[in-house]
Amino acid sequence: RTNIGKFDRIWDRGALVAVNPGDRKRYVDIMLSLTRKGFHYLLAVLSYDPTKHAGPPFFVSDAEVKRLFDSVCNIRCLEKVDALEERHKSWGIDYLVETLYLFTEK
């Protein structure tokens, strides 16, 4: 934190979904500690049947996003898109949804 300062904007596309689920709270706490007043934080997460693919990238539910961010952030879902590509089928899944959230300071 001393070396990099604080950020107005964060764009997380691929980091939270790569963090082991047991370490997510710590990761989020660190990321939020790096934000300035009035920040905007974009987060992209993936949804699929976690019984068919253990990750990474790891499944992150809407409820998990709320649990991790709701105490500090206003949460707005910007979009949900079908992200399933042929290469994902080798994971054994039959659907993949990418959700984009915008967090702002409460």
Coordinates of all heavy atoms in Angstrom, one line a residue, residues 3-90:
N3 N 3.8 1.7 -1.4 CA 4.4 1.9 -2.7 C 3.4 2.3 -3.8 O 3.8 3.0 -4.7 CB 5.1 0.6 -3.1 CG 6.3 0.3 -2.2 OD1 6.8 1.2 -1.5 ND2 6.7 -0.9 -2.2
I4 N 2.2 1.8 -3.7 CA 1.3 2.0 -4.8 C 0.2 3.0 -4.5 O -0.5 3.5 -5.4 CB 0.7 0.7 -5.3 CG1 -0.1 0.0 -4.2 CG2 1.7 -0.2 -5.9 CD1 -0.9 -1.2 -4.6
G5 N -0.1 3.4 -3.3 CA -1.1 4.3 -2.9 C -2.5 3.7 -3.0 O -2.7 2.5 -3.0
K6 N -3.5 4.6 -3.3 CA -4.9 4.2 -3.4 C -5.4 4.5 -4.8 O -4.9 5.3 -5.5 CB -5.7 4.9 -2.3 CG -5.2 4.5 -0.9 CD -6.4 4.5 0.0 CE -5.9 4.0 1.4 NZ -7.0 3.4 2.1
F7 N -6.5 3.8 -5.1 CA -7.0 3.8 -6.4 C -8.4 4.4 -6.5 O -9.2 4.1 -5.6 CB -7.0 2.4 -7.1 CG -5.7 1.8 -7.2 CD1 -5.1 1.0 -6.3 CD2 -4.9 2.1 -8.4 CE1 -3.8 0.5 -6.4 CE2 -3.6 1.6 -8.5 CZ -3.1 0.8 -7.5
D8 N -8.7 5.1 -7.5 CA -10.1 5.6 -7.8 C -10.9 4.5 -8.5 O -12.1 4.4 -8.3 CB -10.1 6.8 -8.8 CG -9.3 8.0 -8.3 OD1 -9.0 8.0 -7.1 OD2 -9.0 8.8 -9.1
R9 N -10.2 3.7 -9.3 CA -10.9 2.7 -10.1 C -10.1 1.4 -10.0 O -8.9 1.4 -10.0 CB -10.9 3.1 -11.6 CG -11.5 4.5 -11.8 CD -13.0 4.5 -11.7 NE -13.6 5.8 -12.1 CZ -13.9 6.8 -11.3 NH1 -13.6 6.6 -10.0 NH2 -14.4 7.9 -11.7
I10 N -10.9 0.3 -10.0 CA -10.3 -1.1 -10.0 C -11.2 -1.8 -11.0 O -12.4 -1.7 -11.0 CB -10.4 -1.8 -8.6 CG1 -9.4 -1.0 -7.7 CG2 -10.0 -3.2 -8.8 CD1 -9.4 -1.6 -6.2
W11 N -10.5 -2.6 -11.8 CA -11.2 -3.5 -12.8 C -10.6 -4.9 -12.6 O -9.5 -5.2 -12.9 CB -10.9 -3.0 -14.2 CG -11.3 -3.8 -15.4 CD1 -10.5 -4.0 -16.5 CD2 -12.5 -4.6 -15.6 NE1 -11.2 -4.8 -17.4 CE2 -12.4 -5.2 -16.9 CE3 -13.6 -4.8 -14.9 CZ2 -13.4 -6.0 -17.4 CZ3 -14.6 -5.6 -15.4 CH2 -14.5 -6.2 -16.6
D12 N -11.4 -5.7 -12.0 CA -11.0 -7.1 -11.7 C -11.7 -8.1 -12.6 O -12.9 -8.4 -12.5 CB -11.4 -7.4 -10.2 CG -11.1 -8.9 -9.8 OD1 -10.9 -9.7 -10.7 OD2 -11.0 -9.1 -8.6
R13 N -11.0 -8.5 -13.6 CA -11.5 -9.5 -14.6 C -10.5 -10.6 -14.6 O -9.5 -10.6 -15.3 CB -11.7 -8.9 -16.0 CG -12.3 -9.9 -16.9 CD -12.5 -9.4 -18.3 NE -13.2 -10.4 -19.1 CZ -12.8 -11.5 -19.6 NH1 -11.5 -11.9 -19.3 NH2 -13.5 -12.3 -20.3
G14 N -10.7 -11.6 -13.7 CA -9.9 -12.8 -13.7 C -9.1 -13.0 -12.5 O -8.5 -14.0 -12.3
A15 N -9.2 -12.0 -11.5 CA -8.4 -12.2 -10.3 C -9.3 -12.9 -9.2 O -8.9 -14.0 -8.7 CB -8.0 -10.9 -9.8
L16 N -10.5 -12.4 -8.9 CA -11.3 -13.0 -7.8 C -11.6 -14.5 -8.2 O -11.6 -15.4 -7.4 CB -12.5 -12.3 -7.6 CG -13.4 -12.8 -6.4 CD1 -12.7 -12.8 -5.1 CD2 -14.7 -12.1 -6.3
V17 N -11.9 -14.7 -9.5 CA -12.2 -16.1 -9.9 C -11.0 -17.0 -9.9 O -11.2 -18.3 -9.9 CB -12.9 -16.1 -11.3 CG1 -14.2 -15.4 -11.3 CG2 -11.9 -15.6 -12.4
A18 N -9.8 -16.5 -9.7 CA -8.6 -17.3 -9.6 C -8.2 -17.6 -8.2 O -7.4 -18.4 -7.9 CB -7.5 -16.6 -10.4
V19 N -8.7 -16.8 -7.2 CA -8.4 -16.9 -5.8 C -9.2 -18.1 -5.2 O -10.4 -18.2 -5.5 CB -8.8 -15.6 -5.1 CG1 -8.6 -15.8 -3.6 CG2 -7.9 -14.4 -5.6
N20 N -8.4 -18.9 -4.5 CA -9.1 -20.0 -3.8 C -10.3 -19.5 -3.0 O -10.1 -18.5 -2.3 CB -8.1 -20.8 -2.9 CG -7.2 -21.7 -3.7 OD1 -7.6 -22.2 -4.7 ND2 -6.0 -21.8 -3.3
P21 N -11.4 -20.2 -3.0 CA -12.6 -19.7 -2.3 C -12.3 -19.3 -0.8 O -12.9 -18.4 -0.3 CB -13.6 -20.8 -2.4 CG -13.3 -21.4 -3.8 CD -11.8 -21.3 -3.8
G22 N -11.5 -20.1 -0.1 CA -11.2 -19.8 1.3 C -10.4 -18.6 1.5 O -10.3 -18.1 2.6
D23 N -9.8 -18.0 0.5 CA -9.0 -16.8 0.6 C -9.7 -15.6 0.0 O -9.1 -14.5 0.0 CB -7.7 -17.0 -0.2 CG -6.8 -18.1 0.4 OD1 -6.8 -18.2 1.6 OD2 -6.1 -18.7 -0.4
R24 N -10.9 -15.7 -0.4 CA -11.6 -14.6 -1.1 C -11.8 -13.4 -0.1 O -11.6 -12.3 -0.5 CB -13.0 -15.0 -1.6 CG -12.9 -15.9 -2.8 CD -14.2 -16.3 -3.3 NE -14.1 -17.1 -4.5 CZ -15.1 -17.9 -4.9 NH1 -16.2 -18.0 -4.2 NH2 -14.9 -18.7 -5.9
K25 N -12.2 -13.6 1.1 CA -12.5 -12.5 2.0 C -11.2 -11.7 2.2 O -11.3 -10.5 2.2 CB -13.0 -13.1 3.3 CG -13.3 -12.0 4.4 CD -14.5 -11.1 4.0 CE -14.8 -10.2 5.2 NZ -14.9 -8.8 4.8
R26 N -10.1 -12.4 2.4 CA -8.8 -11.7 2.6 C -8.5 -10.9 1.4 O -8.1 -9.7 1.5 CB -7.8 -12.7 2.9 CG -6.5 -12.1 3.4 CD -5.5 -13.1 3.9 NE -4.2 -12.8 3.4 CZ -3.4 -13.6 2.9 NH1 -3.6 -14.9 2.9 NH2 -2.3 -13.2 2.3
Y27 N -8.7 -11.5 0.2 CA -8.4 -10.8 -1.1 C -9.2 -9.5 -1.2 O -8.7 -8.4 -1.5 CB -8.6 -11.7 -2.2 CG -8.6 -11.0 -3.6 CD1 -7.4 -10.7 -4.2 CD2 -9.8 -10.7 -4.2 CE1 -7.4 -10.0 -5.4 CE2 -9.8 -10.0 -5.4 CZ -8.6 -9.7 -6.0 OH -8.6 -9.0 -7.2
V28 N -10.5 -9.7 -0.9 CA -11.5 -8.5 -1.0 C -11.1 -7.4 0.0 O -11.1 -6.2 -0.4 CB -12.9 -9.0 -0.9 CG1 -13.9 -7.8 -0.7 CG2 -13.3 -9.8 -2.1
D29 N -10.8 -7.8 1.2 CA -10.4 -6.8 2.2 C -9.1 -6.1 1.7 O -9.1 -4.8 1.9 CB -10.1 -7.5 3.5 CG -11.3 -8.0 4.2 OD1 -12.5 -7.6 3.8 OD2 -11.2 -8.8 5.2
I30 N -8.2 -6.7 1.2 CA -7.0 -6.1 0.7 C -7.3 -5.1 -0.5 O -6.9 -3.9 -0.5 CB -5.9 -7.1 0.2 CG1 -5.3 -7.8 1.4 CG2 -4.8 -6.4 -0.6 CD1 -4.5 -9.0 1.1
M31 N -8.1 -5.6 -1.4 CA -8.5 -4.8 -2.6 C -9.3 -3.5 -2.1 O -9.0 -2.4 -2.6 CB -9.3 -5.5 -3.6 CG -8.5 -6.7 -4.3 SD -7.0 -6.1 -5.1 CE -7.7 -5.1 -6.4
L32 N -10.2 -3.7 -1.2 CA -11.0 -2.5 -0.7 C -10.2 -1.6 0.1 O -10.4 -0.4 0.1 CB -12.2 -3.0 0.1 CG -13.3 -3.7 -0.8 CD1 -14.4 -4.2 0.1 CD2 -13.9 -2.7 -1.8
S33 N -9.1 -2.1 0.7 CA -8.2 -1.2 1.5 C -7.4 -0.3 0.6 O -6.8 0.7 1.0 CB -7.3 -2.0 2.4 OG -6.3 -2.6 1.7
L34 N -7.4 -0.6 -0.7 CA -6.6 0.1 -1.7 C -7.5 1.2 -2.4 O -7.0 1.8 -3.4 CB -6.0 -0.8 -2.7 CG -4.9 -1.8 -2.2 CD1 -4.5 -2.8 -3.3 CD2 -3.7 -1.0 -1.7
T35 N -8.7 1.3 -2.0 CA -9.6 2.2 -2.7 C -9.7 3.6 -2.0 O -9.6 3.7 -0.8 CB -11.0 1.7 -2.9 OG1 -11.5 1.4 -1.6 CG2 -11.0 0.4 -3.7
R36 N -9.8 4.6 -2.9 CA -10.0 6.0 -2.4 C -11.5 6.2 -2.2 O -12.4 5.5 -2.7 CB -9.5 7.0 -3.4 CG -8.1 7.1 -3.5 CD -7.7 8.3 -4.3 NE -6.2 8.3 -4.3 CZ -5.5 8.6 -5.4 NH1 -6.1 9.1 -6.4 NH2 -4.2 8.6 -5.3
K37 N -11.8 7.3 -1.4 CA -13.2 7.7 -1.3 C -13.8 8.0 -2.7 O -13.1 8.5 -3.5 CB -13.2 9.0 -0.4 CG -14.5 9.4 0.1 CD -14.4 10.3 1.2 CE -15.7 10.6 2.0 NZ -16.4 9.4 2.4
G38 N -15.0 7.5 -2.9 CA -15.7 7.7 -4.1 C -15.3 6.8 -5.2 O -15.5 7.0 -6.4
F39 N -14.7 5.6 -4.9 CA -14.2 4.7 -5.8 C -15.3 4.0 -6.7 O -16.4 4.0 -6.3 CB -13.4 3.5 -5.1 CG -14.2 2.6 -4.3 CD1 -14.9 1.5 -4.8 CD2 -14.4 2.9 -2.9 CE1 -15.7 0.7 -4.0 CE2 -15.2 2.1 -2.1 CZ -15.8 1.0 -2.7
H40 N -14.8 3.5 -7.8 CA -15.6 2.6 -8.7 C -14.8 1.3 -8.9 O -13.7 1.4 -9.2 CB -15.9 3.3 -10.0 CG -16.9 4.4 -10.0 ND1 -16.5 5.6 -9.5 CD2 -18.2 4.4 -10.2 CE1 -17.6 6.4 -9.6 NE2 -18.6 5.7 -10.0
Y41 N -15.5 0.2 -8.7 CA -14.8 -1.1 -8.7 C -15.6 -2.0 -9.6 O -16.8 -2.3 -9.3 CB -14.8 -1.7 -7.3 CG -14.0 -2.9 -7.0 CD1 -13.1 -2.9 -6.0 CD2 -14.2 -4.1 -7.7 CE1 -12.4 -4.1 -5.6 CE2 -13.4 -5.2 -7.4 CZ -12.6 -5.2 -6.4 OH -11.9 -6.3 -6.0
L42 N -15.1 -2.4 -10.8 CA -15.7 -3.4 -11.7 C -15.2 -4.8 -11.4 O -14.0 -5.0 -11.2 CB -15.4 -3.0 -13.1 CG -16.1 -1.8 -13.7 CD1 -15.5 -1.5 -15.1 CD2 -17.6 -2.0 -13.8
L43 N -16.2 -5.7 -11.3 CA -15.8 -7.1 -11.0 C -16.6 -8.0 -12.0 O -17.8 -7.9 -12.2 CB -16.2 -7.5 -9.6 CG -16.1 -9.0 -9.3 CD1 -14.6 -9.4 -9.2 CD2 -16.8 -9.3 -8.0
A44 N -15.8 -8.9 -12.7 CA -16.4 -9.9 -13.5 C -16.2 -11.2 -12.9 O -15.1 -11.6 -12.4 CB -15.7 -9.9 -14.9
V45 N -17.3 -12.0 -12.7 CA -17.3 -13.3 -12.1 C -17.9 -14.3 -13.1 O -18.7 -13.9 -14.0 CB -17.9 -13.4 -10.7 CG1 -17.1 -12.5 -9.8 CG2 -19.4 -13.0 -10.8
L46 N -17.7 -15.6 -12.8 CA -18.3 -16.6 -13.7 C -19.2 -17.5 -12.9 O -18.9 -17.9 -11.7 CB -17.1 -17.5 -14.2 CG -16.1 -16.8 -15.1 CD1 -15.0 -17.7 -15.5 CD2 -16.8 -16.3 -16.4
S47 N -20.3 -17.9 -13.5 CA -21.3 -18.9 -13.0 C -21.4 -20.1 -13.9 O -21.4 -19.9 -15.1 CB -22.6 -18.2 -12.8 OG -22.6 -17.1 -12.0
Y48 N -21.3 -21.2 -13.3 CA -21.5 -22.5 -14.0 C -21.8 -23.5 -12.9 O -21.9 -23.2 -11.7 CB -20.2 -22.9 -14.8 CG -19.0 -22.9 -13.9 CD1 -18.6 -24.0 -13.2 CD2 -18.1 -21.8 -13.8 CE1 -17.5 -24.1 -12.4 CE2 -17.0 -21.9 -13.1 CZ -16.7 -23.0 -12.3 OH -15.5 -23.0 -11.6
D49 N -22.0 -24.7 -13.3 CA -22.3 -25.8 -12.4 C -21.0 -26.2 -11.7 O -20.2 -26.9 -12.3 CB -23.0 -27.0 -13.1 CG -23.4 -28.1 -12.2 OD1 -22.9 -28.1 -11.0 OD2 -24.2 -29.0 -12.6
P50 N -20.8 -25.8 -10.4 CA -19.6 -26.2 -9.8 C -19.4 -27.6 -9.5 O -18.3 -28.1 -9.1 CB -19.6 -25.3 -8.5 CG -21.0 -25.1 -8.2 CD -21.7 -25.1 -9.6
T51 N -20.4 -28.4 -9.6 CA -20.3 -29.9 -9.4 C -19.6 -30.5 -10.7 O -19.1 -31.6 -10.6 CB -21.6 -30.6 -9.2 OG1 -22.4 -30.5 -10.3 CG2 -22.3 -30.0 -7.9
K52 N -19.6 -29.8 -11.8 CA -19.0 -30.3 -13.0 C -17.6 -29.8 -13.3 O -16.9 -30.4 -14.1 CB -19.9 -30.0 -14.2 CG -21.2 -30.6 -14.1 CD -22.1 -30.4 -15.3 CE -23.4 -31.1 -15.3 NZ -24.2 -30.9 -16.4
H53 N -17.2 -28.7 -12.6 CA -15.8 -28.1 -12.8 C -15.5 -27.5 -11.5 O -16.1 -26.6 -11.0 CB -15.8 -27.1 -13.9 CG -14.5 -26.4 -14.1 ND1 -13.4 -27.1 -14.6 CD2 -14.1 -25.2 -13.9 CE1 -12.4 -26.3 -14.7 NE2 -12.8 -25.1 -14.3
A54 N -14.3 -27.9 -10.9 CA -13.9 -27.5 -9.6 C -13.1 -26.1 -9.7 O -12.9 -25.5 -8.7 CB -13.0 -28.5 -8.9
G55 N -12.7 -25.7 -10.9 CA -12.0 -24.5 -11.0 C -10.5 -24.7 -10.9 O -10.1 -25.9 -10.6
P56 N -9.7 -23.8 -11.1 CA -10.0 -22.4 -11.5 C -10.3 -22.3 -13.0 O -9.9 -23.2 -13.7 CB -8.7 -21.6 -11.2 CG -7.6 -22.6 -11.2 CD -8.2 -23.9 -10.9
P57 N -11.0 -21.3 -13.5 CA -11.6 -20.3 -12.7 C -12.7 -20.8 -11.8 O -13.4 -21.7 -12.2 CB -12.1 -19.3 -13.7 CG -12.3 -20.1 -14.9 CD -11.3 -21.2 -14.9
F58 N -12.8 -20.3 -10.6 CA -13.8 -20.7 -9.7 C -15.1 -20.1 -9.9 O -15.2 -18.9 -10.2 CB -13.3 -20.5 -8.2 CG -12.0 -21.3 -7.9 CD1 -10.8 -20.6 -7.8 CD2 -12.1 -22.6 -7.6 CE1 -9.7 -21.3 -7.5 CE2 -11.0 -23.3 -7.3 CZ -9.7 -22.7 -7.2
F59 N -16.2 -20.8 -9.6 CA -17.5 -20.4 -9.6 C -17.7 -19.3 -8.5 O -17.2 -19.5 -7.4 CB -18.5 -21.6 -9.4 CG -19.9 -21.2 -9.0 CD1 -20.8 -20.8 -9.9 CD2 -20.3 -21.3 -7.6 CE1 -22.1 -20.6 -9.5 CE2 -21.6 -21.0 -7.3 CZ -22.5 -20.6 -8.2
V60 N -18.3 -18.2 -8.8 CA -18.6 -17.2 -7.7 C -20.1 -16.8 -7.9 O -20.5 -16.3 -8.9 CB -17.8 -15.9 -7.9 CG1 -18.1 -14.9 -6.8 CG2 -16.3 -16.2 -7.9
S61 N -20.9 -17.1 -6.9 CA -22.3 -16.9 -6.9 C -22.7 -15.4 -6.6 O -21.9 -14.7 -6.0 CB -23.1 -17.8 -5.9 OG -22.8 -17.4 -4.6
D62 N -23.9 -15.0 -7.0 CA -24.4 -13.7 -6.6 C -24.4 -13.5 -5.1 O -24.0 -12.5 -4.6 CB -25.8 -13.5 -7.1 CG -25.9 -13.4 -8.7 OD1 -24.9 -13.1 -9.3 OD2 -26.9 -13.8 -9.2
A63 N -24.8 -14.6 -4.4 CA -24.8 -14.5 -2.9 C -23.4 -14.3 -2.3 O -23.2 -13.6 -1.4 CB -25.4 -15.8 -2.3
E64 N -22.4 -14.9 -3.0 CA -21.0 -14.8 -2.5 C -20.5 -13.3 -2.7 O -19.9 -12.7 -1.9 CB -20.1 -15.8 -3.2 CG -18.6 -15.6 -2.9 CD -18.3 -16.2 -1.5 OE1 -19.1 -16.6 -0.7 OE2 -17.0 -16.3 -1.3
V65 N -20.9 -12.8 -3.9 CA -20.5 -11.4 -4.2 C -21.1 -10.5 -3.1 O -20.5 -9.6 -2.6 CB -21.0 -11.0 -5.6 CG1 -20.9 -9.5 -5.8 CG2 -20.2 -11.7 -6.6
K66 N -22.4 -10.7 -2.8 CA -23.1 -9.9 -1.8 C -22.4 -10.1 -0.4 O -22.1 -9.1 0.3 CB -24.6 -10.3 -1.7 CG -25.3 -9.4 -0.8 CD -26.8 -9.7 -0.8 CE -27.5 -8.7 0.2 NZ -28.9 -8.8 0.1
R67 N -22.1 -11.3 -0.1 CA -21.4 -11.6 1.2 C -20.1 -10.9 1.3 O -19.7 -10.3 2.4 CB -21.2 -13.1 1.4 CG -20.6 -13.5 2.8 CD -20.3 -14.9 2.9 NE -19.2 -15.3 2.1 CZ -17.9 -15.1 2.5 NH1 -17.6 -14.5 3.6 NH2 -16.9 -15.5 1.7
L68 N -19.3 -10.8 0.3 CA -18.0 -10.3 0.3 C -18.0 -8.7 0.2 O -17.1 -8.1 0.8 CB -17.2 -10.8 -0.9 CG -16.8 -12.3 -0.8 CD1 -16.3 -12.8 -2.2 CD2 -15.8 -12.6 0.3
F69 N -18.9 -8.1 -0.5 CA -18.9 -6.7 -0.8 C -20.0 -5.9 -0.1 O -19.8 -4.6 0.0 CB -18.9 -6.5 -2.3 CG -17.6 -6.9 -3.0 CD1 -17.5 -8.2 -3.5 CD2 -16.5 -6.1 -3.1 CE1 -16.4 -8.6 -4.2 CE2 -15.4 -6.5 -3.7 CZ -15.3 -7.7 -4.3
D70 N -21.1 -6.4 0.3 CA -22.3 -5.7 0.7 C -22.0 -4.8 1.9 O -22.7 -3.7 2.0 CB -23.4 -6.6 0.9 CG -24.7 -5.9 1.1 OD1 -25.0 -5.0 0.2 OD2 -25.5 -6.2 2.0
S71 N -21.2 -5.1 2.8 CA -21.0 -4.3 4.0 C -20.3 -3.0 3.7 O -20.5 -2.0 4.4 CB -20.2 -5.1 5.1 OG -18.9 -5.3 4.6
V72 N -19.6 -2.9 2.6 CA -18.8 -1.7 2.3 C -19.3 -1.0 1.0 O -19.1 0.2 0.8 CB -17.3 -2.1 2.1 CG1 -16.5 -0.9 1.7 CG2 -16.8 -2.6 3.4
C73 N -19.9 -1.8 0.1 CA -20.2 -1.3 -1.2 C -21.7 -1.3 -1.6 O -22.4 -2.2 -1.2 CB -19.5 -2.2 -2.3 SG -17.7 -2.2 -2.1
N74 N -22.1 -0.4 -2.4 CA -23.3 -0.5 -3.2 C -23.0 -1.5 -4.3 O -22.0 -1.3 -5.0 CB -23.8 0.8 -3.7 CG -24.1 1.8 -2.6 OD1 -24.9 1.5 -1.7 ND2 -23.5 3.0 -2.7
I75 N -23.9 -2.4 -4.6 CA -23.6 -3.4 -5.6 C -24.7 -3.3 -6.7 O -25.9 -3.3 -6.4 CB -23.7 -4.8 -5.0 CG1 -22.7 -5.0 -3.9 CG2 -23.6 -5.9 -6.1 CD1 -22.9 -6.3 -3.1
R76 N -24.2 -3.1 -7.9 CA -25.1 -3.0 -9.1 C -24.6 -4.0 -10.1 O -23.5 -4.0 -10.6 CB -25.1 -1.6 -9.7 CG -26.1 -1.4 -10.7 CD -26.2 0.1 -11.0 NE -26.1 0.2 -12.5 CZ -25.6 1.2 -13.1 NH1 -25.1 2.2 -12.4 NH2 -25.6 1.3 -14.4
C77 N -25.5 -4.9 -10.6 CA -25.2 -5.8 -11.6 C -25.4 -5.1 -13.0 O -26.5 -4.6 -13.2 CB -26.1 -7.0 -11.6 SG -25.9 -8.2 -12.9
L78 N -24.4 -5.0 -13.7 CA -24.4 -4.3 -15.0 C -24.9 -5.2 -16.2 O -25.6 -4.7 -17.0 CB -23.1 -3.7 -15.4 CG -22.5 -2.6 -14.4 CD1 -21.2 -2.1 -14.9 CD2 -23.5 -1.5 -14.3
E79 N -24.4 -6.4 -16.1 CA -24.9 -7.3 -17.2 C -24.5 -8.8 -16.9 O -23.6 -9.0 -16.1 CB -24.3 -6.9 -18.6 CG -22.8 -7.2 -18.7 CD -22.3 -6.8 -20.1 OE1 -23.2 -6.5 -21.0 OE2 -21.1 -6.9 -20.4
K80 N -25.3 -9.7 -17.5 CA -25.0 -11.1 -17.4 C -25.0 -11.5 -18.9 O -26.0 -11.3 -19.6 CB -26.0 -11.8 -16.6 CG -26.0 -11.6 -15.1 CD -26.9 -12.5 -14.4 CE -26.8 -12.2 -12.9 NZ -26.9 -13.3 -12.1
V81 N -23.9 -12.2 -19.3 CA -23.8 -12.7 -20.7 C -23.4 -14.1 -20.7 O -22.7 -14.6 -19.9 CB -22.8 -11.8 -21.5 CG1 -23.3 -10.4 -21.6 CG2 -21.4 -11.9 -20.9
D82 N -24.0 -14.8 -21.7 CA -23.6 -16.2 -22.0 C -22.1 -16.2 -22.5 O -21.9 -15.6 -23.6 CB -24.5 -16.8 -23.0 CG -24.2 -18.2 -23.4 OD1 -23.2 -18.8 -22.9 OD2 -25.0 -18.8 -24.2
A83 N -21.2 -16.8 -21.8 CA -19.8 -16.8 -22.1 C -19.3 -18.1 -22.5 O -18.1 -18.3 -22.7 CB -19.0 -16.2 -21.0
L84 N -20.2 -19.1 -22.7 CA -19.8 -20.5 -23.0 C -19.2 -20.5 -24.5 O -19.8 -20.1 -25.4 CB -21.0 -21.4 -23.0 CG -20.6 -22.9 -23.2 CD1 -19.8 -23.4 -22.0 CD2 -21.9 -23.7 -23.3
E85 N -18.0 -21.0 -24.5 CA -17.3 -21.2 -25.8 C -16.9 -22.7 -25.9 O -17.0 -23.4 -24.9 CB -16.0 -20.4 -25.9 CG -16.2 -18.9 -25.8 CD -14.9 -18.1 -25.7 OE1 -13.8 -18.7 -25.8 OE2 -15.1 -16.8 -25.7
E86 N -16.6 -23.1 -27.1 CA -16.3 -24.5 -27.3 C -15.2 -25.0 -26.3 O -15.3 -26.1 -25.8 CB -15.9 -24.7 -28.8 CG -15.9 -26.2 -29.2 CD -17.2 -26.8 -29.1 OE1 -18.3 -26.2 -29.4 OE2 -17.3 -28.0 -28.8
R87 N -14.2 -24.2 -26.1 CA -13.1 -24.7 -25.2 C -13.6 -24.9 -23.8 O -13.0 -25.7 -23.1 CB -12.0 -23.6 -25.2 CG -12.4 -22.3 -24.6 CD -11.3 -21.2 -24.8 NE -11.7 -19.9 -24.4 CZ -11.4 -19.4 -23.2 NH1 -10.6 -20.1 -22.4 NH2 -11.8 -18.2 -22.8
H88 N -14.6 -24.3 -23.3 CA -15.2 -24.5 -22.0 C -15.8 -25.9 -21.8 O -15.9 -26.4 -20.7 CB -16.1 -23.4 -21.6 CG -15.5 -22.0 -21.6 ND1 -16.1 -21.0 -22.3 CD2 -14.4 -21.5 -21.0 CE1 -15.4 -19.9 -22.1 NE2 -14.3 -20.2 -21.3
K89 N -16.3 -26.4 -22.9 CA -17.0 -27.7 -22.9 C -16.1 -28.8 -22.4 O -16.5 -29.8 -21.8 CB -17.6 -28.0 -24.2 CG -18.8 -27.1 -24.5 CD -19.4 -27.3 -25.9 CE -20.5 -26.3 -26.2 NZ -21.1 -26.5 -27.5
S90 N -14.8 -28.6 -22.6 CA -13.8 -29.6 -22.1 C -13.7 -29.7 -20.6 O -13.2 -30.6 -20.0 CB -12.4 -29.4 -22.7 OG -11.9 -28.2 -22.2

